[in-house]
Amino acid sequence: MLFRSLTYFDLGGRAEGIRSMLHHAGHQYEDCRKSFPEWATFKAETPMGSMPLWEEDGFTTVSSSAILRVLGVRLGYYSDNHLTAYKIDSIVEYIESM
């Protein structure tokens, strides 16, 4: 059985798009939510000192846009057309900047 987990704060923020896509796809994973006090000690254990984190069988992906892209490709939500992929990335980056 594959181990898959998403780690982020116990709020929507940068992980909500990832959670929404995983839910829509019916993709099973562990939703690990950290409190702000837990983050103070957990931060040193993370690559680049940031969240969200996607972990799958020993490999960790950091950054909500990178996680959305890699999962989007795997789950069939990403386009093979370069112009459509650009539009998807533009929307994701715009939302993240807000």
Side-chain angles (χ1 to χ4, degrees), residues 3-66:
F3 173 76
R4 300 175 183 122
S5 69
L6 177 66
T7 304
Y8 193 64
F9 296 108
D10 191 17
L11 49 88
R14 294 175 183 234
E16 200 56 30
I18 301 164
R19 288 183 186 126
S20 296
M21 181 173 57
L22 291 167
H23 175 75
H24 186 267
H27 201 65
Q28 298 297 312
Y29 70 101
E30 183 179 344
D31 191 3
C32 303
R33 296 179 182 233
K34 299 288 184 186
S35 67
F36 287 102
E38 287 175 307
W39 173 238
T41 55
F42 181 68
K43 183 176 182 175
E45 300 173 29
T46 66
M48 296 191 240
S50 67
M51 292 194 295
L53 303 172
W54 174 255
E55 296 177 79
E56 189 165 347
D57 285 339
F59 183 78
T60 302
T61 306
V62 184
S63 170
S64 56
S65 340

